[in-house]
Amino acid sequence: MTAIEQTEGARPRGTRLPRRARRNQLLGAAQEVFVAQGYHAAAMDDIADRAGVSKPVLYQHFPGKLDLYLALLDQHCEALLDAVRAALASTTDNKQRVAATMDAYFGFVQDQGGAFRLVFESDLTNEPAVRERVDKVSLDCAEAVSEVISEDTKLPADQAMLLAVGLCGMAQITARYWLSAGQRVPREAAAKLIASLSWRGIAGFPMQ
């Protein structure tokens, strides 16, 4: 019996599920194992046990551990990008846009069953496919922010992108610190604090 079974209990085997539902179940189990153990320490046996399926069933959906990890990474990178885009689209008030974007990062770090660790704290960043995805979501989020900055300030694209990278970097680093420090500041207050700092800087670039 694995340590995960001993501590949490494996899900019952034998339940037939539609393919999509089974895939989602396997991804959920894999996320729990990868977040708890990291990629290198996790075993397909652990994931199958956690999902309550046999290893052949797991391999029917994912040929290997890296395929499973990349599927999870794709899922959560998309979730982060969607959250940032939704924040930017939620208002035309730029001060509120900054606040919503900061809160999107804090929400991503706080929720998703620890999925942010797969994106921002992976122990597999030397794997090119992982590095490519992590870099891409960081750039995609920054590009979404830079489009708003460029449109509103008429700054050159390169300058707008540099500012956007700074804002997104501040958001994800402070959100991760906030979580690791025990969330001693309530999430709403923490996000507003960082939004205030960010707005004091970005508001210095006048609307055109």
Side-chain angles (χ1 to χ4, degrees), residues 71-113:
L72 270 174
L73 193 57
D74 286 339
Q75 182 183 79
H76 295 301
C77 285
E78 182 179 356
L80 174 60
L81 182 56
D82 286 348
V84 170
R85 285 174 171 165
L88 293 169
S90 66
T91 177
T92 57
D93 182 308
N94 284 327
K95 184 175 182 179
Q96 294 305 314
R97 272 179 172 155
V98 170
T101 302
M102 294 298 147
D103 188 64
Y105 277 91
F106 275 79
F108 181 74
V109 165
Q110 185 181 46
D111 296 332
Q112 304 290 339

Side-chain angles (χ1 to χ4, degrees), residues 145-159:
V145 174
S146 75
E147 288 175 5
V148 176
I149 294 174
S150 182
E151 179 180 348
D152 287 347
T153 66
K154 305 307 179 190
L155 284 171
D158 287 344
Q159 293 183 27

